Amino acid sequence: MLKVEQLEKRYDGRTVVDKLSFHVRRGECFALLGPNGAGKTTTLKLALGLVAPDGGRIWLVGEPVPARAREARARVGVVPQFDNLDPDFTVAENLVVWGRYFGLPDAQLWQKVPYWLEFAGLSGREKAKVGELSGGMKRRLTLARALVNDPDILFLDEPTTGLDPQARHLIWERLRQLMQAGKTLVLTSHFMDEAERLATRLAVVDHGQLIAEGSPRALIDRHIEPDVIEIYGDNAVPWARAAGLADVRLEVSGETAFFYGEGLVDLEERLDAEGLRYVRRPANLEDVFLKLTGRELRD
Ligand code: ADP
């Protein structure tokens, strides 16, 4: 459904996509993960033919991009990072007007409006103005709008950024429905829980380069010890640095110390004995991400 090879993009002489190669098969949910500025949005725009590459090759739904980007985009749905719904139109009009860009007849579009609104959880709101909708409703309407041309593949740029937990869960549920209906999804995210839940495969990118690729489980197994103990509070970090434990890896982030290892039973006994506060959990995708991309802030 999507294949990029040795993709390159420079802005003002600065490389923001650096010889990136990956592919997405039909029915997959593929996530591009990376810190702010890693080049995720630029990669999506390149794949859609909205930005011209400085090198490399792209095929989207079998069409070469940018040469046949228009033909390819007719079979693609896009949920951009920032909702760009038309505030002058009603909820229903936003869907119908979007459908006209694909040359679909009005009568056919109006007929499908109730179906799309039901999918978006917006039944009965067809006459509402966009400004009357909550952030979660706008996101769902943007998602419904991406479906008007019955696309084979959807591109979603940070689909749940800025939403509260309830609204995020609703979007995830809808995305899973789309996967069950056979759609292919490509999403960017910096939320590890989102990627771990949805993605069948993911690529971690940083500084425009692919630094790891695989299923969430495979990446966790490959890069991280199975067990984690997080110690936090005033004395956590000095205690952790002085603990002198064998066979564990220590990482520090702010006032939290992370111990990675297998079992970690001895450590747990010592923490219990000393009355320190800690959380014990299995390793997750966030541990992989922080190990590969570092813990310093990216603004
Ligand atoms: P991400 O989506 O991973 O946060 P982006 O793809 O948005 O990253 O941006 C990657 C880098 O490219 C950033 O440093 C950003 O400032 C830069 N960039 C993106 N678009 C442009 C542009 N149109 N002109 C100049 N620089 C850009």
Side-chain angles (χ1 to χ4, degrees):
M1 296 300 284
L2 173 65
K3 187 170 178 188
V4 310
E5 272 180 12
Q6 299 287 305
L7 194 59
E8 287 182 74
K9 181 68 191 174
R10 285 179 287 278
Y11 282 120
D12 312 319
R14 206 164 53 88
T15 301
V16 300
V17 175
D18 193 358
K19 299 205 167 65
L20 204 58
S21 300
F22 64 87
H23 63 272
V24 182
R25 296 185 210 100
R26 184 181 291 277
E28 276 193 306
C29 174
F30 185 82
L32 278 172
L33 294 184
N36 280 332
K40 305 181 294 295
T41 301
T42 305
T43 302
L44 288 196
K45 286 183 176 165
L46 287 162
L48 286 165
L50 302 173
V51 161
D54 291 310
R57 300 204 288 169
I58 306 159
W59 293 267
L60 176 58
V61 293
E63 304 280 4
V65 171
R68 286 178 54 85
R70 267 175 62 93
E71 289 82 353
R73 282 203 301 269
R75 292 171 54 197
V76 176
V78 179
V79 177
Q81 191 171 344
F82 301 103
D83 291 321
N84 57 354
L85 298 160
D86 194 319
D88 296 327
F89 290 146
T90 64
V91 165
E93 285 164 351
N94 262 282
L95 297 172
V96 170
V97 169
W98 195 256
R100 287 181 193 151
Y101 294 131
F102 297 98
L104 300 168
D106 270 28
Q108 185 185 326
L109 291 164
W110 281 108
Q111 206 186 357
K112 300 259 335 225
V113 163
Y115 166 77
W116 291 320
L117 291 185
E118 178 170 7
F119 175 80
L122 291 171
S123 293
R125 299 210 182 239
E126 52 268 37
K127 294 201 173 75
K129 281 275 163 57
V130 165
E132 296 163 23
L133 304 181
S134 69
M137 289 172 175
K138 283 185 196 156
R139 219 77 261 266
R140 273 154 26 219
L141 180 57
T142 306
L143 181 57
R145 191 187 63 177
L147 300 175
V148 296
N149 56 326
D150 193 23
D152 297 321
I153 176 170
L154 278 129
F155 282 53
L156 306 117
D157 198 357
E158 298 192 9
T160 66
T161 294
L163 300 185
D164 63 31
Q166 289 86 347
R168 295 182 77 204
H169 279 276
L170 200 50
I171 295 277
W172 290 338
E173 189 196 311
R174 292 302 190 263
L175 294 182
R176 261 194 296 269
Q177 275 181 22
L178 291 174
M179 286 166 73
Q180 279 158 10
K183 305 283 187 203
T184 304
L185 307 184
V186 177
L187 61 94
T188 74
S189 188
H190 49 238
F191 292 123
M192 299 305 119
D193 56 338
E194 183 160 286
E196 211 166 324
R197 260 162 210 276
L198 294 174
T200 47
R201 215 153 49 81
L202 54 93
V204 182
V205 290
D206 200 7
H207 307 294
Q209 295 175 334
L210 193 145
I211 53 176
E213 191 186 346
S215 71
R217 191 69 251 163
L219 287 175
I220 294 165
D221 291 346
R222 193 180 313 147
H223 292 281
I224 293 287
E225 301 82 344
D227 301 301
V228 188
I229 286 183
E230 292 183 25
I231 318 174
Y232 46 89
D234 283 347
N235 299 320
V237 172
W239 187 91
R241 289 197 198 281
L245 293 156
D247 299 325
V248 294
R249 185 167 61 84
L250 170 65
E251 284 204 35
V252 168
S253 184
E255 60 162 21
T256 306
F258 298 78
F259 283 105
Y260 293 95
E262 194 159 354
L264 301 174
V265 180
D266 294 349
L267 173 59
E268 210 170 357
E269 281 171 4
R270 277 182 64 182
L271 289 164
D272 285 336
E274 302 202 23
L276 281 159
R277 291 175 65 195
Y278 66 91
V279 173
R280 184 204 166 89
R281 59 173 175 80
N284 60 34
L285 203 52
E286 185 150 321
D287 298 308
V288 177
F289 185 81
L290 292 172
K291 183 176 178 195
L292 296 178
T293 65
R295 290 179 184 268
E296 78 277 16
L297 263 186
R298 309 287 178 90
D299 288 321

